[in-house]
Amino acid sequence: MRGFAERADVEEVTSFLLAHASGRGAEPVGLHDCVGRVLAADVHADVDVPGFPRSAMDGYAVRGEDSFGASEYDPLRFELIGQSLPGRPLEAVVERGQAARIMTGAPVPKGADAVVMAEVCEEEDGAVLVREPVAPRKNVGAPGEDIRAGSLVLSAGRRLRAQDAGLLSSIGVGEVPVVERPRVQLVITGDELLPPGSRPDGPRIVDSNSVVLAALARRDGAELLPHTILPDRPEVIADLLATAPADVLLVSGGSSVGQEDHAPRLVAELGSLDFHGVSMRPSSPAGVGRLPGVPGTAERWVFLLPGNPVSCLCAYEFFAGPVVRRLGGRGEAWPHRVVRLPLARKIASAIGRTDYVRVAIEEGAVVPIATSGASILSSTVRAAGAVIVPRGLEGMAEGQEVDVLLYDDEPPR
Ligand code: AMP
Ligand code: MG
């Protein structure tokens, strides 16, 4: 065994990743599948919405100026010439002194320019009495008032929301180009591992990293390829590294400098091991490399994630997460909500090292969780989030305001 000769800084690794990772190509998806995906091209409308003058009320379509002078005591009488319903317009023209019954969403007939609401009208022998004047254009939605033909409705790079899909539908678009999801291959290594769903058995432990990594990668927009647990046998690991048709390979375990740690050497042999060993805690044995493309992929990213569950999660968040998001057209920034709160106790760190500290939030203050071993997965379960101590600091003082990256999307109930 040999130690790490030198370790890279977190920032160095991150800038390398961002300098080399760019978005994947585009694929068309239907509107029911587009929400949460990233739009790959600008979308312009080629129609007006609405495409016709549209009634905003149930009532009577008239020429507004004909209603001037109408009042409660002196209602004006209009000849009723028919009705306009949504999708079933009245073809006749509304002339002076005439009215047409109309429903919300129905086209306002030619000749009419306003809608008097039903509440101030009364029908009587083929006529309608109007008790309130209505100004021209009142209660009528102009063509294009929602969307104008030719306008830019959504820009490339937009993460589509439910209402965006609705808007696309309203302009007659049924399919949009979105950035392809990055494909992620989990490479879970360890002779001691039993598959999820097993019970721990003597010296054999149940793989938890695959479960965590799959969920984090999906959160970041990835599509997961199937995987199995691999033994610590170099030829088996090499085979998957050489052939996996993925954009990103996440290697869990066997990534450090121990005798069963084959992945770093294999990555260096098959492609390039760009970094191995980072000045951080946990996850210092983490590594980053690139492997040549296989049919259907460009050059492939490979992340060496230490097997210890907290290190594995931490290394994913620092290095793999930003790349997965970038490839899928999302921003590289961490997706966590951030709150700024004072520290209840100081956090000790060391200059030159970046720390990922699990913290609880108690009575509005940030409490570092004492058990900080990288193997203690439950520390991340008890934690509300993490505080990152940058490498330039020796620590953070009690009372100092710090940013907490929250694990939960929603505020606590
Ligand atoms: P390694 O990085 O392979 O040296 O593993 C470091 C520690 O993490 C060891 O205690 C392993 O048993 C544990 N470990 C490795 N892989 C996993 C995994 N997939 N799930 C949970 N623990 C793991
Ligand atoms: Mg191992």
Side-chain angles (χ1 to χ4, degrees), residues 189-193 232 252-255 260-261 307:
T189 71
D191 290 334
E192 74 279 32
L193 299 177
D232 289 309
S252 150
S255 299
E260 291 300 316
D261 295 336

Side-chain angles (χ1 to χ4, degrees), residues 243-267:
T243 60
D247 305 294
V248 173
L249 288 83
L250 302 177
V251 180
S252 150
S255 299
S256 187
V257 291
Q259 72 177 32
E260 291 300 316
D261 295 336
H262 309 296
R265 175 177 57 82
L266 296 173
V267 170

Side-chain angles (χ1 to χ4, degrees), residues 187-194 203 205-211 213 229 232 252-258 260-261 285 305-309 312 374-375 377:
V187 183
I188 306 296
T189 71
D191 290 334
E192 74 279 32
L193 299 177
L194 294 168
I205 64 166
V206 184
D207 157 40
S208 59
N209 288 345
S210 70
V211 177
L213 291 173
I229 293 173
D232 289 309
S252 150
S255 299
S256 187
V257 291
E260 291 300 316
D261 295 336
L305 311 172
N308 264 322
C312 183
S375 60
L377 185 55

Side-chain angles (χ1 to χ4, degrees), residues 5-23:
E6 63 184 76
R7 292 195 165 91
D9 293 326
V10 165
E11 293 82 355
E12 212 182 314
V13 182
T14 307
S15 21
F16 172 83
L17 296 173
L18 297 181
H20 291 90
S22 53

